[in-house]
Amino acid sequence: MSEKQRIILIGAGQHCNVVMYNIAAEGKYEVACIAEVDEKKWGQVVNGVKVVPFVNFSKEAMDRIEQEYHTNKFFISFGTMRWRKKVYEFVSQHGWEAVTIIHPDAVVSPTAKIGKGVLIECGCLITPSPIIGDNVVVNTGSQVNHDNIVEDHVYIASGVILSGGVTIGNNTLLDDGVIITLGTKVGKNSLIGAGAVVTKDVPDGVVAYGNPCKVIRENTNI
């Protein structure tokens, strides 16, 4: 059996427990530490792993963590959309390398193109030929169907269904149970509320929900 790769998780909140569950199931990585900006969490232990200071997400803090734990591999283990993209891009630009985590009970087509820093959880279905970008989360039981384009930093919550030929723009959140119908496009920096059924294109930078889905307001939480 090959030796597990050591990785650094970034973020010690509730989503971290989910990430660690999927890591344990896949059996490919060993979590070296959990880097966290909130000093109240420093020194805590989460599932046997120490939470260490990541002061202001600085390059100096990155260097200290890398030197102490002998790895530059990382994964974003918090779910807050306001910060996921910013932190991922910062640490990637400063030399850390993202890993992808796929639960063994997910069904993933060999023709799917999957980027770096992606989490595909238990019970997910990824059918032929979608393109999934970097730093994407596909939560439990969600489907990404044929010929979809899911751009970077998208967060797909549980039980979401993307029909064929769907495009989801950069840094968009699809909440629990959203259905996106065939060939529909959702813009970047948008939020689609839980249970929405999206039958028409959604523009950039909005909050939309309902059945059928309608634009409600501008998305200011980005």
Side-chain angles (χ1 to χ4, degrees), residues 189-191 204-208 215-222:
N189 298 322
S190 288
L191 188 160
D204 297 344
V206 298
V207 174
V215 173
I216 306 301
R217 58 177 173 82
E218 180 182 356
N219 183 18
T220 57
N221 190 32
I222 55 174

Side-chain angles (χ1 to χ4, degrees), residues 173-212:
L173 167 64
L174 307 179
D175 210 340
D176 294 330
V178 167
I179 297 174
I180 315 287
T181 58
L182 186 69
T184 305
K185 297 181 180 180
V186 176
K188 64 183 179 180
N189 298 322
S190 288
L191 188 160
I192 309 300
V197 178
V198 183
T199 60
K200 297 180 180 180
D201 291 356
V202 176
D204 297 344
V206 298
V207 174
Y209 52 82
N211 181 7

